[in-house]
Amino acid sequence: MMLYLMDIWDSVRGFMATGGDVLWLVAAVLFLMWVLMLERYWYINLIAPKAHKNIIQAWGNREDSTSWYAHRIREAWVSQAKQDMNARMLIIKTLVATCPMIGLLGTVTGMITVFDVMAVHGTSNARMMAAGISMATMPTMAGMVAALSGVFFSTRLDAKMKISIEKLKDSLPHH
C-alpha cells in the first residue's frame, strides 16, 4: 500500500514538474475551492435542514402570522436563511473564475521559457523548447479542468440552495 502511494506521489510530482510552479498554484486554488464546496454541501444537507426546521417551528409557534409585522419577520427569517446558505458562494465562484486565469499565467510563463531557450540556444534545440511548451500547455489544461469541475458543482450547489429556500418559503404560510 505504501509503495502504491509513493508511486502516485511520484506521478503527481512528475506532472507538476512538467507544468512548472504555476501548476502548484492551480492545485492550491483547486484544493481551496473544493474544500469550500464540500463545506457548502455539508451545510446544505446537514445543517440547513435543522435550521429551517427551527424557523418553521418558530413560525408555527407565533400567534400572529397575518399582520404586516409578522410578514416582515417571515421575510427576515427567510432572508437570513438564504444569506446563511449563500455564505462563501462568492468566494467559490471567484475561485472558479480564477482557475483559467492562473492557467493562462502558466501559458505566459511557459512561453517566456520557450523564448528564452530560443534566444540562448536558437531554434535547433527542440528538446529544450518542448519542455517550455509543455510548461505552457499543462497549466492551461489544468486551469480549465479545475474551472469546469468548479462550474459544474457550484451550479449544482446554487440549484440545491434555491430549492431549499423555496421549500422553506412554502413551509411558512402567510395568510
Side-chain angles (χ1 to χ4, degrees):
M1 179 65 173
M2 189 65 165
L3 190 60
Y4 180 71
L5 291 175
M6 289 178 69
D7 275 349
I8 291 174
W9 177 244
D10 284 342
S11 296
V12 169
R13 276 192 352 194
F15 176 75
M16 296 306 244
T18 59
D21 293 337
V22 176
L23 267 183
W24 289 105
L25 184 58
V26 171
V29 170
L30 180 65
F31 178 76
L32 179 60
M33 179 179 70
W34 273 98
V35 165
L36 292 172
M37 283 195 294
L38 290 173
E39 183 274 336
R40 285 291 86 195
Y41 269 109
W42 174 74
Y43 181 85
I44 290 169
N45 291 315
L46 298 175
I47 305 300
K50 294 173 188 171
H52 292 185
K53 186 177 177 183
N54 290 340
I55 292 171
I56 293 166
Q57 188 176 18
W59 181 255
N61 292 339
R62 287 186 55 83
E63 290 180 22
D64 173 27
S65 64
T66 58
S67 70
W68 179 89
Y69 183 70
H71 286 277
R72 299 302 76 83
I73 290 173
R74 179 186 181 275
E75 287 174 12
W77 288 350
V78 169
S79 179
Q80 183 63 49
K82 188 174 183 179
Q83 185 176 351
D84 291 344
M85 290 190 85
N86 280 317
R88 290 175 283 295
M89 283 305 292
L90 183 59
I91 296 170
I92 291 169
K93 289 178 180 181
T94 302
L95 291 173
V96 168
T98 303
C99 284
M101 298 301 120
I102 296 170
L104 287 174
L105 175 66
T107 300
V108 170
T109 57
M111 292 312 294
I112 289 171
T113 302
V114 170
F115 294 139
D116 189 42
V117 167
M118 288 172 66
V120 173
H121 299 286
T123 57
S124 62
N125 195 338
R127 191 170 284 184
M128 289 183 82
M129 286 176 32
I133 292 170
S134 175
M135 218 163 34
T137 55
M138 291 296 204
T140 305
M141 178 198 63
M144 296 303 275
V145 169
L148 286 173
S149 71
V151 165
F152 178 74
F153 286 101
S154 67
T155 302
R156 298 259 318 172
L157 273 173
D158 272 339
K160 283 178 88 63
M161 285 183 209
K162 287 177 183 170
I163 290 168
S164 182
I165 290 298
E166 288 304 315
K167 284 181 180 177
L168 175 63
K169 286 180 184 177
D170 291 346
S171 299
L172 301 175
H174 50 93
H175 305 282

